[in-house]
Each structure stands twice: as structure tokens, then as C-alpha cells.
Amino acid sequence: METKEITKNLNTQQKQAIAHSNGPLLIVAGAGTGKTTVITQRMAWLILQDQAKPEEILAMTFTEKAAGELEERIDQLLPYGYVNLWINTFHAFCERILKQHALDIGLPNDFKILDTTAQWLLVRENLDKFNLDYYRPLGNPTKFIHALLKHFSRAKDEEIWPANYLEYAEKFKINLDGMESSGGKARKQESKKARKQENKNIEEDEMEVGRLNEVAEAYHTYQQLLLENNALDFGDLINYTLKLFQERPKILQQYQAQFKYILVDEFQDTNWAQYQLIRLLAAPRNNITVVGDDDQAIYRFRGASISNILEFKSDYPLAKEIVLTQNYRSVQNILDLAYKFIQNNNPNRLECRLNESKDILAQAKKKGVDINKFKKIDKKLAAATKAQGQIERLHSATGNQEVESVLKKILELKKQDGEAVWADFAILVRANSQAKPFNDALAKAGIPFQFFALRGLYTKEIILDVLAYFHLLDNYHESPAVWRVLNFPVFKISNTDAAKLTHQAHYKGWSLYESLQKAVLLSGLAPETLDEVNKILSLVEKHTQLAREKSVGELLITCLTDLGYLQYLKDLDNVRGRDSLDYLRQFYEKIRQFEAETIDPKLKLFIERINLEIESGEEGDLQSDVEAGPDVVRVMTVHGAKGLEFKYVFVVNLVHLRFPTAERAESIELPDSLVKEVVPEGDIHLQEERRLFYVAMTRAKQGLFLTSAEDYGGQRKKKSSQFLVELGFQSQENKKAIKQENILDVKYVKQPSGPIERLPLPTKFPYSQLSSFTKCPLQYKYAYILKIPTFGKPSFSFGSTIHLTLQKFFERLIGSAGQKDLFSASLKSGGYKLPRLEELLELYEANWVDAWYPDQKSKKEYKEKGRRILKEYYNVVKESKPQPLRLESPFVIKVGGYSISGRIDRIDQINGGVEIIDYKTGQSKKEVKDDDRDQLLIYQLAAAEAFGLKPEKLTYYYIEDGRPVTFIGSAKDQAAIKEKIIQTVTKIQQSDFMPTPGWPCQFCDYRQICQYRAF
């Protein structure tokens, strides 16, 4: 794609932003003005204009989803393969840097990263090491852990280290002591009443000194605990990277030289420390592009500093400003209303600051900038469409009637708008707790919907079922868990029979499990109930034994398969089934993380961990892609709706103290003198709530409906939201509430509840996907679309162990030649010191994957085999003296417009070119068959197109018998594999994923839940 193709459909402002050459650039991107398009196309423009290579551009954003979207879009724009795109979240970027350079500032480079729950657990388990008094109430010693952790996080947002805090606490005490000493004589002449008040003030001051010391010391203790446990939290990732760059200037210079251009998305959401990191990296070129909108800054509660975007022009007075005002989302009357509303935040808006700030003008004048050339900016958005939309206020007598008015309006609009689908409607709430009445009503009305929350994995039905079964295996006498198991959808036990079993347990003084064991003694149970009870007892006995021997991950897959739960969810073949499978996948990922962090990852420890998490208030993070979901009405918080758009938006519960909410002061506030960001003037909380409401309004494309009620069940009537008054709507007191017909209790034609299926297909296709689809499209659907967890195999665990071991071994070998960067110049023969055999075997032990072995005997045999083949391979390396150039190298290449991704185990330099090496842990083959040839032929394409290398050999190295099998693809082979890739991906995109049963079924991971299997 040529650069003119990139810019042909853009407006003038967007073209100017994309083609900006050098120097700082501030892009003020209003809602719906195409900021993601500008960022990605600017990156593509810089690459296609040969101003920078892909790896010389750093793009930073805030969520993995946003980073993935940026990478996907840039992938579509680039016509050729590439190796390394630096598109990261701030935390992922810093983790990447620290993994490479942690040792340079005295940190281990194999650190683990703790989330909020893990931090809470760390503090709770070491509470005795914290000298807490003020923040440790006797009745609830863990009460303030979350508050302290949040406080430490805020300190890290401002790059405040424990030493800074301790120093502040000490100065505070010295200042107070000085004040008391100087006031001693005067106090002798005071009245008794005055001296009493003075003593009270002294007592309060002493308490404050004690409190500050307690917090500062707690912060210090917490940081020490992190280091002792080889751990960092998310704030540490930013601050230690800053520390690295500040204390190791040569390393900073390395990355300053590498990143010729830096782009920051959602700049208004950066905190102080993140901005300092970017400023360091951008210097001295200052080719920094920041994209943001201060009117959409809604994450102050996460530490975001709106002052960054407000102060950018002061920091870079030479910065070019481009304001994107062409809106491609909403109609003009919605945009006009939103603009009128957000101006209530003046003068603390960028529009006013840039137009009126004397500081900015002074800074510019000092640097010799002609201030007469400064142009005033105008953020008023102009709609690309000429249509007018609907703006309505729906005010009801009660909360229930408000819900009914929303549903009635949705049904009315869907009937009027022949093109509208359910996914065109969004109900936005200020807090998760406000969603339940709408969810319940939608379900009762038969309207398909989905509630999108960021938390709540542990409250999902399937996960509650899994946890109940795990609790049962851990303790037979936990009757609530047994009761839930009896009600599993896979068991056909009637409510009547379940009640009989419960009554028997209560009458006899048994646990419910004992009642199951003696169910045969209970008269009146249906024969099928007895069969199901016996099945439960048999499975529990089997799985209890497994729980003592197997890891939690193995246990989970075995239990779900034996119970028939995976089969049940797969057979549902609807939104509920797919959602449940996705929740299982997310839960399984948490289990895998637990297994990676735990020496003995058995069920008992996992249950203890989950119980502690729940005690800490953890509900389980949820990952969901709103845009990729089925055709349903979306219910979500306004924060969750950021970045999305809908045809019709309902902003609900617009009453006093619900939206805007009452300000909640932080439990522990940072002292003002430690805060480095410039705090805006005025009511900061109200301004943030106003920006949040502005975000809600600008999600709407054609219809905006603002709803409220007088009575939500309290003793007093609710006042209308201040925001409705600011918008010009009548206040509640001057507008009569409308009593809606109760549509939920009247007969009407129910809407179809079966949503349209939208299966989200991958955007990149590695060889494993292509191979899976070729074998069986249904297998592909299970593995890469539904992502159903599968049984592992000993050979997989063993293969992973060998691959990890050899990767670490060759990293050491390369490091011995002074190559810190695996992408630097190649090794010369003999230019390295071969690590000792003992080191290789130590790496083998350290990287052993201890999972999916059927028994101890099998595991021991595999382990001995691994030691044997590694010893033999060590001698091969010793004799052959390989020259490794790259290890575990990821790539993306373009074939027929499709993105094919992969990772090459090893690339060695040989005379005249390179050798591509892929390890195999099985027995060697006499010749390489078609499927195996395909994988290495793709690697051959990647080596040439993405890495710019000349492959001379393609080698499968069979570790087990030390035999390499080598070939090289001809031009005809390469053309054939390209054509095969295009045909396969085209079939994937057009497929209905029907099964192709045959001999591969016997090796399929999903054979136990597939009714089409041939074996």
C-alpha cells in the first residue's frame, strides 16, 4: 500500500496529523473523530515513507485490547512482513525493558508481577511485619489493607519512593517540634481554656506524626516484602524503569536511539510517572505524538493525571497542535448538546487553557516562539451526517417504571427502525449495582441482553459449580457445596428428591453427603435419582483420589469431562453455552497462573487461595469483547462504554447522588507537598463526573435517552441530577412524573431470545491453526474460536520442558559472547564460552513442566529420558560449534493479504546464509512429509521477508535420537505453500465448521466431547 492510499479517505485535519514530520505533536481528538485511525495510519505513513522501521516506533496505550486493536490495524496497513512492533501498554513495555535490564539496577530479571489480590494476600500473610496501630483495628486487623495498597499505588503514580515518604514524615515532625518549642513561652501567659485547646492541638499533631510515620514505614515494609518475594506490582514496573533510565544513562541512550518516534494513545489517562517516562524516552529528538481529549479524562480514580494533557504545551511550547473535530459517529444535535454541557467545566478545559494560559505564552516567548502565530483552538464537533437524532428525557414515578419505560422505548424504536438490531441499543449505568433491575426486566421480557462487567468471574454460574465441586472434593461434609452439585444441569435429580435427601440429612443429623451415601434407605426416591446419586458418589471417589495426585488444571479438565459438563455446554450451542465456555477458559488461565507460581499446585492449596481471594473482596477479573459479542442489548457502566458507540443510548438513574455520585475521599490521602502533578482548580470530583457524563452522551449515534425516577424505594423522593438541569431539562419539581403502563405484566409478543451468532475469527493465522483446520474444521472451532480447555499429554509437557531448557541454554551461550541483544551481530565460531553440562541440566530441572503425566513411574521415565538426550545433545553442540543468530523469534508475514504469524525456535548463521531449526522431541522420520514441510516452508518465507535473511537449510532436529532432517524449499515450493495458505484461510473465513471424521479423530484433543468422532 502506498502512502496516498493511506490518506485518500481522510479529512484535512487527519492528513495533517498523519504527515507531521518531526517534533512534538498534540492531537486533540474529540469523541468519534477517528483517533485510532490517525495513530495507526501515522505509524504506517512513517514506515512507508522510510522515516522509521517498524521496530523504531514506540506506540503506548492503556489496555491490552487497545494495543491489540492498534496492532491489528497496522498489520492490515503494512503490505509486507515484519518482526517486531513495539505496540504496548505502559506496563507491558516496562516489563519488557526490565526483563532485559533488571540486573542493571539490582533487581532479579525473573520477577513475578502481583495483581491487587496477590498484593493483598502478601500483606495479609505478613501482617505481623507491619508496625500498624492507627490502621490496624483490633476487631478487624485486615480492614485497611486495601486502603494502604491503594495509597502505595497512588504514591507510585507520583514516583514517590518509601525513602521520600520517610523523609517527609521526619521533616513534618521536626517542623512541629520547632513550632511547639517557639510557642512555649507564650503558652505560659495563656488562659486555662486556651492552654487546654493548645494541649488538644498538640495531641492531635502528635497523632498525625504517628500516623504519617506508620504509613511511611508500612510503605517501606511493603516494598521490602515485594523484593524478598521476587515480585513487583504494576506501579513498580513504571518506577523501576524510570529508575533504570535515570541511573543508567547508556541504557536510556540505547532506547532513545532506537525509538525515533513515540506515539501515546489516550494521553489524558497517563499518570505523572508515565508521562515522565515518555519525556525521558522522547528526548532529545522529541518526536513525540500524543493523542487525547481532556473532556474524556475519566480515570482519575486509577491515578490518571489530567494535568498532563493540560501541561503538554507548557512542556513543549514548540509543539504543533491539530484538533480533530469532524465527528463520524453522532448526529449534530447530540454533539451540540454534549458540547454545551461540557463547557460547565470551564476554565479547567484544554480549550480554555490553550487559548488563555499566560504560562504557555510566557514559556513560548522564552524559547523564542512567535506567540502571534498561536492559534486559538475550537473543540466544537461537527457531524459528518446531516441527519437529526432523538434526544428525550424519560421521567417516571418509580424505579420499576423507569425500567419499564426504557424497555418500552427499546421495543418501540426497534419496531420503527427497520434496520435496528439488538446490539444497536445500550443501557449505561453509573455503577454495576444499578444494572440488576434492567437485567431482570430484559430477561423477563425475553429481550436478548448481556451485562458487561469488568469483575465477577467467581460469581458466574459455571464457576460457582466448579468451585462447589472442588469444595466437595476437599471436604465431603460441606453440605452447601453438595447441594449445588445435586442441582448441576448434567444431573437429572428433581427438586422434590433433592429436598427429600436434604430433609433426611437434617432429621438424622448427617451431612448431606452422608445422606447421599445412604440414599438407598430413603423411600420414595425415583430410580433415576438413585442412579444419579450413585454416579455422583463414584465420580467423587475417583476425583478425590486424583485431587491428591494431580495438579488443579488436570483435575479441572478431568472432572468437567467425566461429569459431562463440557459436553453439556458444547451441546447448548448458544450464547449461554459459549459464554460459559469462555468463563471456563478464563478460570483455567487463573489456575495455570496458580500452578506456575506454586511448588505443589494441588487442590487443597488452590481452595485456600480462592477462599483468601474472596475474603479480600476479589470477585475475579472478567475479559469480554463487547464489539465481538452476539446480537444483544448491551448493559454496562459508562466507564465500560468508553471507546464504544451505539445507535441508541439510554443513560439511566439520573438522580441526585447516583449520577453525579457523591465524592468519596481517599481513605488515606497523599500529603499535598508530596504530590507532583498540577492539581486543577475547582471541584475536581464534579468535573470528573461531568466528563463521564459527556462520554456517555457521545456514545450515541442517533438517539440519546436520559431517564430518571422519583422513587427508588427510599423514604425521600429523589431530586433530578444536577446534570439534567445543566442540560436545560426541567427539574423534577417542575415536571410531573409519568406513570408508565406496566408492560412486563401485560401480554405481548415476546421477542426472539436466540441472538444472531457472530463467531469472532482470528486475525492472524499461525501454522498450528492452518493444520488444525485442514484436519477438521470442527476441531478448529473448538480450539481457536470456542477455546474449550483440553486434556494435556505427557509428550506436550515434555516437549515444552525441552524447548524451554534449550532456549535458556542458548541464551546463556549468546550472553557469554557479550551479546546482550539477541538481534545484534552474529557470533563467530568459537567466540563464546560454552556453558557447562551441569548448567544445562540445572536449567532442565528449573524449567521442568510437571503436568499431565499419568503416574510417578511415567514421569520418572520421561525425566530420565530428558537427562539422557540433553547430555547427548550437549556433545553435539560442543563438537559442531553452532552460531545462533536468533532464538524464539516471532514474526508476521503477509500472504495474499492474510497475516501469517509464528515463532522460530532457532536461526543459526552458516556459510552463505542461515539455517532454520525447529526442535522435535519425538522419533526422527526418514523423510519430511507434506504437513511438516509446510511449517518449515512458512519459516523459510518468514526468514526472507520478515528478517531479511537468506535461508540455506530448513532443519527439524529430533532431540530424542540426535538426528537432523534437512531440506530447502524451491521457488516452486514457496509458491505452492503461499497458494495453500490463501486457500486454507479463505475456507476458514467461509466455513460453517462441519466435522470431517476419520483417522485423525483418534489423536484429537476433543474426541471425548465430539459426537462425530470416528474412533
Side-chain angles (χ1 to χ4, degrees):
M1 181 181 293
E2 297 181 6
T3 52
K4 63 181 180 180
E5 288 292 314
I6 290 178
T7 60
K8 70 177 182 179
N9 293 321
L10 304 181
N11 61 45
T12 302
Q13 297 161 328
Q14 291 174 325
K15 288 178 181 178
Q16 290 174 350
I18 288 167
H20 175 71
S21 56
N22 295 315
L25 170 64
L26 170 62
I27 302 174
V28 183
T33 56
K35 72 173 180 62
T36 305
T37 297
V38 168
I39 294 171
T40 53
Q41 298 198 0
R42 173 158 172 73
M43 290 178 67
W45 188 87
L46 289 168
I47 294 168
L48 295 175
Q49 287 284 316
D50 292 327
Q51 294 201 30
K53 297 175 182 177
E55 62 270 24
E56 293 174 335
I57 302 173
L58 173 64
M60 304 282 261
T61 188
F62 283 85
T63 65
E64 294 292 347
K65 181 178 181 295
E69 183 181 353
L70 287 177
E71 185 170 342
E72 184 178 330
R73 290 207 193 182
I74 193 70
D75 176 67
Q76 293 169 354
L77 291 171
L78 295 180
Y80 46 75
Y82 53 87
V83 179
N84 199 11
L85 284 176
W86 284 76
I87 301 176
N88 304 275
T89 64
F90 275 89
H91 294 122
F93 169 77
C94 291
E95 180 184 2
R96 189 171 178 177
I97 297 297
L98 288 176
K99 288 290 185 183
Q100 186 74 20
H101 300 288
L103 295 175
D104 292 292
I105 51 171
L107 289 176
N109 57 9
D110 59 345
F111 57 82
K112 54 182 179 285
I113 302 170
L114 303 189
D115 59 16
T116 304
T117 302
Q119 295 168 47
W120 188 92
L121 291 171
L122 179 67
V123 175
R124 185 189 185 280
E125 291 166 359
N126 295 276
L127 204 55
D128 58 316
K129 296 180 181 178
F130 289 82
N131 185 24
L132 297 177
D133 178 28
Y134 190 98
Y135 290 110
R136 188 174 184 173
L138 291 175
N140 185 6
T142 64
K143 178 180 178 180
F144 288 104
I145 292 180
H146 277 305
L148 286 166
L149 288 171
K150 186 175 181 181
H151 186 68
F152 303 156
S153 177
R154 279 289 297 119
K156 292 176 183 182
D157 291 342
E158 301 284 331
E159 200 194 0
I160 301 167
W161 295 88
N164 304 135
Y165 215 132
L166 287 165
E167 182 183 358
Y168 168 80
E170 180 62 27
K171 285 182 178 177
F172 184 86
K173 182 178 183 301
I174 291 171
N175 289 340
L176 279 181
D177 288 345
M179 289 171 60
E180 289 174 14
S181 175
S182 62
K185 286 186 177 182
R187 280 198 295 272
K188 291 181 181 180
Q189 309 299 323
E190 291 173 351
S191 66
K192 184 177 181 182
K193 182 178 180 180
R195 287 199 301 272
K196 186 176 181 181
Q197 179 61 42
E198 181 65 20
N199 290 336
K200 183 180 179 181
N201 292 340
I202 292 172
E203 186 178 329
E204 290 175 353
D205 288 342
E206 289 175 348
M207 184 179 293
E208 179 63 8
V209 168
R211 187 192 71 82
L212 280 172
N213 272 317
E214 185 171 309
V215 173
E217 289 174 3
Y219 187 18
H220 175 74
T221 302
Y222 170 68
Q223 283 302 113
Q224 288 300 116
L225 279 173
L226 287 172
L227 293 175
E228 289 168 9
N229 286 273
N230 199 26
L232 304 179
D233 62 23
F234 288 112
D236 287 332
L237 290 173
I238 308 296
N239 284 349
Y240 278 119
T241 306
L242 265 174
K243 183 182 178 72
L244 172 74
F245 289 157
Q246 290 162 349
E247 297 184 359
R248 300 290 182 265
K250 286 191 176 181
I251 295 175
L252 172 61
Q253 290 165 12
Q254 172 190 332
Y255 287 103
Q256 286 174 331
Q258 176 181 341
F259 299 126
K260 295 180 179 178
Y261 294 90
I262 297 176
L263 297 91
V264 185
D265 188 18
E266 303 287 9
F267 183 61
Q268 75 278 352
D269 295 334
T270 54
N271 61 40
W272 193 90
Q274 289 165 340
Y275 184 29
Q276 302 316 303
L277 179 67
I278 289 299
R279 291 181 66 190
L280 272 177
L281 281 168
R285 294 190 188 98
N286 290 331
N287 289 332
I288 176 173
T289 298
V290 299
V291 186
D293 180 11
D294 60 303
D295 290 333
Q296 297 185 76
I298 59 173
Y299 291 112
R300 184 169 181 81
F301 69 95
R302 292 183 184 171
S305 171
I306 191 175
S307 64
N308 287 345
I309 193 168
L310 297 176
E311 299 297 322
F312 183 82
K313 189 70 174 179
S314 295
D315 297 330
Y316 299 99
L318 295 174
K320 183 177 179 61
E321 302 151 11
I322 296 175
V323 186
L324 306 182
T325 56
Q326 185 72 59
N327 178 282
Y328 298 94
R329 174 187 300 156
S330 306
V331 292
Q332 192 64 52
N333 57 332
I334 291 177
L335 295 177
D336 288 345
L337 186 67
Y339 183 67
K340 174 186 174 184
F341 169 76
I342 198 60
Q343 287 183 89
N344 287 287
N345 270 357
N346 288 344
N348 291 305
R349 293 178 58 245
L350 188 63
E351 193 172 34
C352 292
R353 286 294 303 276
L354 289 183
N355 293 343
E356 301 172 10
S357 175
K358 294 180 181 178
D359 293 339
I360 292 174
L361 295 175
Q363 286 280 352
K365 201 169 183 180
K366 186 186 292 186
K367 296 196 176 186
V369 179
D370 184 357
I371 60 175
N372 294 316
K373 292 183 179 180
F374 272 34
K375 296 179 181 179
K376 290 194 173 185
I377 71 166
D378 183 355
K379 292 183 62 182
K380 191 177 190 311
L381 301 178
T385 176
K386 300 297 183 184
Q388 289 290 298
Q390 291 177 258
I391 301 174
E392 291 184 32
R393 180 191 178 188
L394 305 177
H395 183 56
S396 304
T398 68
N400 287 337
Q401 288 176 357
E402 178 189 4
V403 172
E404 291 159 8
S405 73
V406 171
L407 267 62
K408 182 179 180 181
K409 180 59 71 172
I410 288 174
L411 295 172
E412 178 187 307
L413 289 167
K414 193 165 188 298
K415 186 177 180 180
Q416 291 173 356
D417 184 346
E419 297 180 354
V421 295
W422 295 120
D424 286 327
F425 298 90
I427 299 173
L428 304 186
V429 296
R430 175 62 183 85
N432 283 326
S433 58
Q434 296 166 10
K436 189 176 187 305
F438 295 93
N439 294 340
D440 292 345
L442 288 163
K444 186 175 180 181
I447 298 174
F449 77 97
Q450 194 165 359
F451 174 49
F452 293 89
L454 298 176
R455 309 184 75 76
L457 179 64
Y458 298 160
T459 65
K460 299 301 180 184
E461 183 178 334
I462 178 63
I463 306 305
L464 287 171
D465 285 352
V466 168
L467 290 175
Y469 195 70
F470 277 1
H471 277 102
L472 169 56
L473 298 182
D474 186 55
N475 180 4
Y476 288 175
H477 302 296
E478 196 165 326
S479 292
V482 180
W483 171 256
R484 188 166 187 98
V485 171
L486 289 178
N487 287 278
F488 278 7
V490 295
F491 297 131
K492 307 305 178 188
I493 298 175
S494 68
N495 291 335
T496 302
D497 283 356
K500 287 178 181 177
L501 290 164
T502 304
H503 292 157
Q504 174 179 253
H506 179 73
Y507 178 74
K508 297 286 189 178
W510 300 337
S511 69
L512 184 50
Y513 190 79
E514 289 174 302
S515 185
L516 297 187
Q517 290 176 311
K518 299 171 184 177
V520 69
L521 304 177
L522 183 60
S523 61
L525 290 180
E528 53 268 27
T529 295
L530 286 173
D531 290 342
E532 295 287 54
V533 166
N534 288 331
K535 179 181 177 181
I536 291 171
L537 292 172
S538 175
L539 288 172
V540 168
E541 182 179 358
K542 173 188 174 182
H543 296 154
T544 302
Q545 182 60 35
L546 284 174
R548 299 189 188 103
E549 302 169 357
K550 302 294 184 183
S551 68
V552 187
E554 292 179 78
L555 181 66
L556 174 70
I557 305 301
T558 303
C559 291
L560 289 172
T561 304
D562 290 351
L563 289 166
Y565 219 136
L566 279 180
Q567 182 80 44
Y568 163 76
L569 293 175
K570 187 264 299 180
D571 289 346
L572 284 179
D573 197 27
N574 57 20
V575 173
R576 179 168 169 251
R578 286 193 294 276
D579 282 349
S580 295
L581 286 169
D582 188 51
Y583 298 145
L584 269 179
R585 178 190 60 79
Q586 294 182 45
F587 188 66
Y588 186 57
E589 288 176 1
K590 287 184 175 291
I591 288 176
R592 296 294 296 270
Q593 182 180 352
F594 166 79
E595 291 176 337
E597 297 171 353
T598 310
I599 297 175
D600 186 27
K602 298 292 195 302
L603 177 65
K604 195 167 193 65
L605 281 178
F606 181 72
I607 289 292
E608 290 176 5
R609 170 65 180 261
I610 288 292
N611 289 341
L612 283 171
E613 285 193 24
I614 294 171
E615 179 189 336
S616 78
E618 176 61 45
E619 297 177 354
D621 291 342
L622 275 170
Q623 307 160 8
S624 57
D625 188 345
V626 180
E627 296 170 287
D631 182 27
V632 293
V633 174
R634 268 70 166 163
V635 184
M636 65 184 72
T637 64
V638 183
H639 280 103
K642 177 76 163 58
L644 304 176
E645 59 183 41
F646 307 93
K647 205 171 198 177
Y648 303 106
V649 167
F650 294 80
V651 189
V652 301
N653 288 184
L654 291 175
V655 294
H656 182 56
L657 298 183
R658 288 203 175 190
F659 204 173
T661 61
E663 182 175 10
R664 293 183 181 179
E666 292 184 4
S667 301
I668 311 172
E669 293 188 351
L670 278 177
D672 289 342
S673 59
L674 284 177
V675 175
K676 297 172 182 175
E677 67 169 298
V678 179
V679 180
E681 297 176 355
D683 189 331
I684 298 172
H685 172 74
L686 183 60
Q687 291 170 21
E688 175 105 348
E689 289 287 295
R690 205 174 271 127
R691 292 192 295 269
L692 188 60
F693 190 71
Y694 175 82
V695 166
M697 296 174 71
T698 53
R699 299 311 95 195
K701 295 180 357 182
Q702 292 185 19
L704 175 64
F705 303 90
L706 310 173
T707 78
S708 59
E710 292 181 356
D711 181 7
Y712 289 93
Q715 293 182 351
R716 296 181 180 179
K717 289 185 177 181
K718 295 290 186 182
K719 292 182 180 180
S720 293
S721 167
Q722 172 184 340
F723 294 164
L724 287 172
V725 178
E726 292 177 2
L727 284 167
F729 291 101
Q730 288 179 304
S731 67
Q732 175 184 338
E733 291 75 15
N734 298 324
K735 181 177 175 68
K736 187 176 180 181
I738 301 171
K739 293 189 176 181
Q740 301 284 342
E741 177 187 9
N742 193 337
I743 67 167
L744 301 185
D745 291 337
V746 299
K747 292 183 179 179
Y748 72 101
V749 179
K750 272 199 169 187
Q751 305 299 320
S753 57
I756 298 169
E757 184 175 35
R758 296 180 185 173
L759 294 177
L761 293 175
T763 57
K764 292 190 179 75
F765 299 90
Y767 166 76
S768 57
Q769 283 195 29
L770 303 177
S771 176
S772 174
F773 182 84
T774 302
K775 291 173 184 173
C776 176
L778 184 60
Q779 179 196 72
Y780 178 89
K781 178 181 178 181
Y782 288 162
Y784 299 104
I785 298 177
L786 299 181
K787 299 179 182 177
I788 300 175
T790 63
F791 280 100
K793 297 176 182 177
S795 57
F796 292 169
S797 298
F798 183 68
S800 295
T801 300
I802 296 296
H803 274 74
L804 283 168
T805 301
L806 293 180
Q807 177 190 344
K808 300 296 183 184
F809 174 74
F810 280 105
E811 282 177 1
R812 287 194 182 182
L813 183 143
I814 289 173
S816 72
Q819 281 184 260
K820 293 246 178 170
D821 182 358
L822 299 183
F823 307 120
S824 59
S826 62
L827 292 169
K828 294 181 179 179
S829 180
Y832 58 77
K833 180 181 179 183
L834 185 69
R836 294 176 295 110
L837 173 61
E838 289 75 16
E839 291 181 65
L840 175 62
L841 297 179
E842 287 170 4
L843 289 170
Y844 177 60
E845 292 293 333
N847 291 283
W848 176 260
V849 179
D850 195 22
W852 302 111
Y853 294 99
D855 49 50
Q856 290 297 322
K857 179 182 176 184
S858 174
K859 180 164 52 174
K860 183 178 179 181
E861 289 172 351
Y862 267 104
K863 208 160 195 178
E864 286 301 319
K865 181 171 75 170
R867 291 177 65 86
R868 173 180 58 79
I869 62 180
L870 285 174
K871 287 178 181 178
E872 293 171 358
Y873 185 62
Y874 182 84
N875 290 328
V876 171
V877 174
K878 190 174 181 179
E879 291 296 322
S880 62
K881 294 184 172 61
Q883 300 176 47
L885 190 63
R886 291 174 177 268
L887 304 174
E888 292 296 320
S889 300
F891 65 83
V892 176
I893 58 173
K894 295 298 182 68
V895 179
Y898 300 125
S899 295
I900 309 302
S901 62
R903 184 179 293 271
I904 302 174
D905 288 347
R906 199 173 103 211
I907 302 176
D908 280 8
Q909 181 172 297
I910 59 175
N911 292 333
V914 296
E915 179 181 10
I916 308 296
I917 299 172
D918 190 76
Y919 303 125
K920 296 289 185 185
T921 50
Q923 292 285 341
S924 63
K925 302 175 182 179
K926 292 182 180 179
E927 60 180 351
V928 182
K929 295 184 179 179
D930 288 346
D931 284 351
D932 288 337
R933 281 178 63 87
D934 288 350
Q935 182 178 359
L936 284 186
L937 285 171
I938 291 172
Y939 289 177
Q940 182 178 352
L941 292 174
E945 297 179 14
F947 299 108
L949 302 173
K950 182 183 178 185
E952 295 290 338
K953 285 184 180 181
L954 305 178
T955 300
Y956 280 121
Y957 196 96
Y958 293 90
I959 301 291
E960 188 164 340
D961 53 16
R963 182 172 176 264
V965 178
T966 298
F967 70 100
I968 190 67
S970 65
K972 184 178 178 181
D973 291 330
Q974 293 179 64
I977 189 62
K978 287 184 177 181
E979 182 60 31
K980 187 174 182 179
I981 288 170
I982 293 169
Q983 291 178 2
T984 304
V985 177
T986 302
K987 288 178 182 177
I988 290 173
Q989 295 181 330
Q990 298 172 349
S991 181
D992 54 6
F993 304 104
M994 293 302 294
T996 55
W999 69 268
C1001 291
Q1002 58 189 314
F1003 307 108
C1004 179
D1005 292 331
Y1006 302 97
R1007 63 184 305 275
Q1008 297 192 46
I1009 63 169
C1010 181
Q1011 68 268 38
Y1012 303 104
R1013 63 182 182 268
F1015 294 90

